Amino acid sequence: MKNYICVLISFICIAIFSACTAPKYIYTPASANLLLLEKKNDLKAAVNFVQAGTVLGFTRSTKDSRGIDVQGAYAITDKAGLKINAYTKQEKSGGVVFYQNDPAEMKTYKKQGIEISGGIYNFSGKQAKAQFQLFAGAGTGKFSLNERRLNGYLYENFYHNMNYFKTYVQPALSIKSSPHYHVTLGTSLSLIKYYNVRTNYTDLSDEPLGYVETKPSIFIDFVLQNEFGFKRLKGIKFQWQLGFTDLLTRFPVPGSSFENNKYDYNKAWLALGIIADIRA
């Protein structure tokens, strides 16, 4: 009964958060790979459907925000494992002024990437009640930002594309109340270097976006994840994940009017997923 109550609470949290929408941004994190490994040769895979957004109802007329994350984990030994993440995301946001049913401006953002990590965990079999895991890894990918802006009676099109290289460390603590239910608290500290910027914006000298190549960016993520399953569904579980992101670095923009010289980025996300324990 306790597990069913926890599952009900989980869905209530999901319903509340899904009412929020995402702002315009040029960065969003992937859902954290917190798959639990319990013993040597464990092999798990997950697919997450991600809704990006902000909390407290802050929006910027976002029309669409979605993504898919694919994750895998393999236990090399009873204490060490490997993880891999691949993701693709897209967001569209429109201005608040409309002309003949079209937004005065429309921004489309896309992100694709892949990450690989290795680390340690301290589970000692399926009866263990808690696990600490620590993984570190690297990844690469690309961002693209396309803008359609109304200038008089004509639309102008702009783009800003760039690649990135990412390194990160990700500790997490999981508490398992039963073989079919557990909660995980995790954090991730990421260092991201942007490079190979291509754009047709004519002047970004007074915007943080124009300085993304000057130095690496450091992000910190905080994650709450709930994983649950049912006895009749052997080898299959479900999960939801709520995450928050903060940008720790500033950009050296002379005379910038932007708050703290920070560019826009996605500050929160919700992921719903299914997990397959391939060797259950």
Side-chain angles (χ1 to χ4, degrees), residues 12-22 51-59 270:
I12 292 174
C13 292
I14 291 170
I16 293 174
F17 186 82
S18 62
C20 301
T21 55
Q51 169 70 48
T54 56
V55 293
L56 303 180
F58 178 76
T59 65
L270 175 70

Side-chain angles (χ1 to χ4, degrees), residues 151-183:
N151 185 4
Y153 295 98
L154 299 176
Y155 280 102
E156 298 178 323
N157 295 301
F158 300 91
Y159 66 86
H160 188 281
N161 303 329
M162 57 187 175
N163 296 83
Y164 73 88
F165 179 77
K166 170 184 177 181
T167 57
Y168 62 97
V169 59
Q170 179 180 283
L173 177 65
S174 299
I175 305 297
K176 184 166 64 173
S177 61
S178 78
H180 306 288
Y181 186 91
H182 76 260
V183 175

Side-chain angles (χ1 to χ4, degrees), residues 85-254:
N85 317 317
Y87 43 85
T88 178
K89 302 181 186 302
Q90 176 175 291
E91 176 172 318
K92 294 181 181 179
S93 60
V96 296
V97 179
F98 290 80
Y99 174 74
Q100 294 183 351
N101 296 323
D102 285 332
E105 64 177 41
M106 175 68 72
K107 294 180 175 67
T108 302
Y109 169 78
K110 295 181 180 180
K111 173 186 178 181
Q112 299 87 33
I114 187 169
E115 302 169 358
I116 299 176
S117 64
I120 57 175
Y121 64 95
N122 68 350
F123 249 159
S124 57
K126 295 185 180 296
Q127 301 304 315
K129 297 298 183 182
Q131 180 200 82
F132 175 77
Q133 56 175 283
L134 177 63
F135 281 76
T140 185
K142 60 183 180 180
F143 300 114
S144 66
L145 174 63
N146 293 278
E147 178 181 0
R148 186 184 69 164
R149 183 190 305 167
L150 184 63
N151 185 4
Y153 295 98
L154 299 176
Y155 280 102
E156 298 178 323
N157 295 301
F158 300 91
Y159 66 86
H160 188 281
N161 303 329
M162 57 187 175
N163 296 83
Y164 73 88
F165 179 77
K166 170 184 177 181
T167 57
Y168 62 97
V169 59
Q170 179 180 283
L173 177 65
S174 299
I175 305 297
K176 184 166 64 173
S177 61
S178 78
H180 306 288
Y181 186 91
H182 76 260
V183 175
T184 300
L185 295 174
T187 187
S188 179
L189 187 65
S190 303
L191 185 148
I192 300 177
K193 174 62 178 176
Y194 301 100
Y195 66 95
N196 193 25
V197 173
R198 294 89 66 198
T199 183
N200 66 345
Y201 284 102
T202 56
D203 185 12
L204 293 175
S205 60
D206 62 346
E207 298 185 37
L209 183 61
Y211 295 81
V212 293
E213 288 186 290
T214 57
K215 65 178 182 179
S217 303
I218 300 176
F219 290 88
I220 186 168
D221 302 338
F222 300 96
V223 183
L224 170 65
Q225 178 171 295
N226 173 214
E227 180 180 314
F228 55 92
F230 306 93
K231 291 182 179 180
R232 295 183 179 181
L233 292 176
K234 185 178 181 181
I236 299 295
K237 290 185 178 180
F238 305 92
Q239 68 177 3
W240 63 265
Q241 183 180 113
L242 178 63
F244 300 89
T245 298
D246 190 28
L247 174 63
L248 301 182
T249 50
R250 306 291 193 272
F251 290 91
V253 185

